[in-house]
Amino acid sequence: MNKGEEDIKKRLDRLANVNISCLPPNEKDIPVLQKLIEASKLMDEIFLRQVYRENPKIRDNLLASKDIVDRMRLEYFMWNKGPWDRLDGDKPFIGNEEKNKGAEFYPNDMTKEEFESWIKEHPEDEKSFKSYYTVIRRKGDKLIAVPYSEEYKEFLEPASKLLREAAELSENKSLKKFLLSRAEAFLSNDYSQSEVDWIKLDSDIEITIGPYEVYEDGLFGYKASFESCVTIKDREESEKLKIYAKHLKEIDSSLPVDKKFKFTKKSQTSPISVVTEIFTGGDASSCLLYTSPSPRDS
């Protein structure tokens, strides 16, 4: 075993291999799952580009290679969604380029000072510049905010179509409603209604799909990354967790934290479910390795 093969093997050995076996929901739900998985794979494509503009090229080169080490690198590359090792402080394991703090949400040569200065001089741009759902680009000597619906149109349009097709196949009203509103959000760039519909989701098939977490934006923590997670609810095991919901107020009142951090005065319910994970894509699959601290958390 040469040095390169030994290095990538050690990295792969750190990843857990999990064998998941579960019965799918009834047979008529399988086509719905297939559509959701297809849409979820498109979230992978978007996130790869959000992390690093060269990611598709790196992946294609590794795919084309017949070298056994490159095949191993490809597997680790897809886990990390890029050439940087998330388990090793984002040090590169392919090439030598350092990871950009702002990923591909901002121009690579843009500084925090330039961004803040632009907003100060153009206050009318603040809302769009700090939006979760825009990227910042240069246009001549200007900075502009480009909606996700435009920047990732190549992937969001087919994803929207797949969600609509899944909605047509589904017999669950809450899942149907969420899929339709999220399909619309991909095109309109307005996620407010679909977020409400997502919270109200009550279905054996559950899906999280779209832009959510902001951890990949290490510059400001403003920009949301695309992810997907398709799961099937285990109702029998979920039923066992209801005992915790019954004692939620008691548990919350006993926590050694300031009252302002307690939530049971606002809500007495907190749904807890046990699910089997069917597919993850985008930021959700990279988060299986680690979650980095966000600037918004500090």
Side-chain angles (χ1 to χ4, degrees):
M1 184 182 296
N2 60 42
K3 188 176 181 180
E5 185 177 352
E6 183 179 0
D7 174 73
I8 197 65
K9 187 177 184 304
K10 284 181 179 179
R11 295 177 192 271
L12 286 169
D13 285 345
R14 292 183 294 178
L15 305 180
N17 291 316
V18 181
N19 292 318
I20 297 175
S21 60
C22 74
L23 291 174
N26 53 61
E27 291 292 323
K28 61 187 176 184
D29 285 331
I30 293 178
V32 178
L33 284 171
Q34 291 172 334
K35 294 289 184 182
L36 297 183
I37 290 172
E38 286 183 57
S40 296
K41 289 178 180 178
L42 292 169
M43 301 301 104
D44 235 12
E45 292 300 322
I46 296 175
F47 185 60
L48 279 173
R49 289 156 176 79
Q50 288 184 310
V51 174
Y52 185 41
R53 64 189 180 282
E54 297 294 329
N55 268 344
K57 182 179 178 181
I58 295 173
R59 178 187 58 188
D60 291 345
N61 287 339
L62 292 173
L63 277 168
S65 175
K66 296 181 180 180
D67 184 83
I68 187 172
V69 177
D70 281 342
R71 303 303 295 183
M72 295 167 72
R73 287 195 182 107
L74 174 62
E75 182 181 353
Y76 203 63
F77 170 87
M78 292 308 298
W79 268 101
N80 284 277
K81 296 298 185 288
W84 299 283
D85 193 333
R86 295 175 185 267
L87 293 175
D88 193 21
D90 282 332
K91 293 179 182 178
F93 65 93
I94 297 175
N96 299 306
E97 186 173 341
E98 291 186 8
K99 189 176 183 180
N100 194 334
K101 285 187 176 181
E104 294 294 340
F105 298 114
Y106 311 93
N108 293 155
D109 61 349
M110 190 203 77
T111 63
K112 294 181 70 173
E113 291 74 23
E114 181 183 5
F115 182 90
E116 291 166 348
S117 176
W118 180 273
I119 289 178
K120 186 175 181 180
E121 295 172 8
H122 305 84
E124 68 278 6
D125 288 339
E126 182 172 8
K127 183 177 180 180
S128 62
F129 270 46
K130 292 184 178 181
S131 168
Y132 294 154
Y133 314 124
T134 66
V135 292
I136 307 303
R137 298 292 182 249
R138 291 195 186 279
K139 187 176 183 180
D141 59 352
K142 299 179 180 179
L143 291 176
I144 61 169
V146 180
Y148 280 0
S149 55
E150 180 180 334
E151 181 75 5
Y152 308 117
K153 182 178 180 179
E154 175 186 358
F155 305 103
L156 290 176
E157 286 191 346
S160 176
K161 183 174 182 291
L162 285 164
L163 294 189
R164 292 182 187 280
E165 290 172 352
E168 290 180 8
L169 293 168
S170 176
E171 296 181 356
N172 182 281
K173 290 183 179 180
S174 66
L175 179 60
K176 185 186 293 286
K177 186 175 183 180
F178 167 66
L179 293 177
L180 290 174
S181 61
R182 184 47 55 106
E184 177 59 31
F186 282 166
L187 305 181
S188 69
N189 215 51
D190 181 355
Y191 287 84
S192 53
Q193 182 58 52
S194 61
E195 291 291 0
V196 173
D197 294 336
W198 180 52
I199 293 172
K200 295 180 179 180
L201 190 60
D202 182 19
S203 167
D204 284 340
I205 296 177
E206 295 188 350
I207 180 170
T208 299
I209 186 168
Y212 288 95
E213 307 294 349
V214 298
Y215 303 117
E216 199 65 27
D217 178 3
L219 199 60
F220 290 105
Y222 291 149
K223 305 305 176 182
S225 296
F226 279 84
E227 66 177 69
S228 60
C229 187
V230 181
T231 64
I232 296 176
K233 183 182 292 185
D234 187 325
R235 290 196 175 271
E236 183 178 345
E237 292 300 318
S238 296
E239 188 70 22
K240 296 176 183 179
L241 292 180
K242 286 188 176 181
I243 186 172
Y244 294 101
K246 292 179 181 179
H247 298 285
L248 185 61
K249 185 175 181 180
E250 180 183 349
I251 294 171
D252 186 59
S253 63
S254 301
L255 293 175
V257 296
D258 192 283
K259 289 182 180 180
K260 65 182 179 181
F261 298 116
K262 299 187 178 184
F263 67 91
T264 49
K265 287 186 178 180
K266 298 179 182 179
S267 173
Q268 298 297 323
T269 61
S270 181
I272 307 173
S273 299
V274 176
V275 300
T276 298
E277 188 176 90
I278 302 300
F279 183 90
T280 61
D283 194 27
S285 54
S286 71
C287 285
L288 294 176
L289 294 182
Y290 90 121
T291 300
S292 60
S294 164
R296 294 177 65 206
D297 295 335
S298 58

